[in-house]
Amino acid sequence: MVGDFIIYTVSSAVALAILMWILARYAQLAVAMLDRISLPRRRNRHSAEYIAYMQSDEWRSTRRIALTRAGNRCESCGETHGLEVHHLTYKRLGHEQPNDLRVLCGDCHEAADRTRAAKARRAYA
């Protein structure tokens, strides 16, 4: 009777460990699949306040300063056309510090957004 209990306990623990390993592996696969998904950029996903700020004279001035600081070049690849200003953080939105912003071309901006989304998914998982 005691032997049966020990066998049952050990086999249950082994089965649980195997199940946990399988679940962890599926979670890794799910995260890897999410990282491969290329989501279209949705510019209107922000709040009305954010959109209003992006259309303000204050943002235009902040953007112009960032472009000048970067020499009107993408800070990632050096491109000079189609430049955008990427927020590295939104913590000081409306009161950005120079190191909160990065000037990027459209392609590099999309890559930066994908990287940020992948990091957020990994942090969530």
Side-chain angles (χ1 to χ4, degrees):
M1 179 125 173
V2 173
D4 290 340
F5 177 75
I6 292 172
I7 291 172
Y8 174 77
T9 303
V10 170
S11 63
S12 296
V14 169
L16 183 60
I18 291 170
L19 180 62
M20 298 285 285
W21 180 85
I22 291 170
L23 290 174
R25 183 68 182 133
Y26 275 112
Q28 288 173 343
L29 290 172
V31 168
M33 288 172 57
L34 285 174
D35 285 344
R36 289 188 191 118
I37 295 173
S38 178
L39 299 175
R41 288 180 75 186
R42 296 177 296 153
R43 294 187 183 269
N44 294 329
R45 68 177 178 249
H46 299 289
S47 68
E49 294 85 17
Y50 175 84
I51 293 168
Y53 173 64
M54 291 315 224
Q55 296 171 349
S56 72
D57 290 337
E58 182 181 359
W59 171 247
R60 283 187 199 84
S61 175
T62 300
R63 183 181 186 280
R64 195 173 322 117
I65 291 168
L67 288 166
T68 302
R69 175 184 47 85
N72 291 308
R73 292 187 170 279
C74 173
E75 294 183 80
S76 185
C77 72
E79 176 64 57
T80 58
H81 296 359
L83 298 176
E84 303 172 1
V85 179
H86 173 68
H87 280 87
L88 297 171
T89 180
Y90 291 101
K91 290 179 183 175
R92 291 178 286 275
L93 186 67
H95 308 285
E96 293 92 349
Q97 300 294 314
N99 59 347
D100 291 343
L101 304 172
R102 189 158 188 227
V103 175
L104 301 171
C105 67
D107 290 341
C108 291
H109 195 172
E110 286 184 28
D113 285 345
R114 281 194 306 272
T115 299
R116 178 175 31 213
K119 286 181 183 178
R121 284 192 299 269
R122 281 192 291 276
Y124 182 74

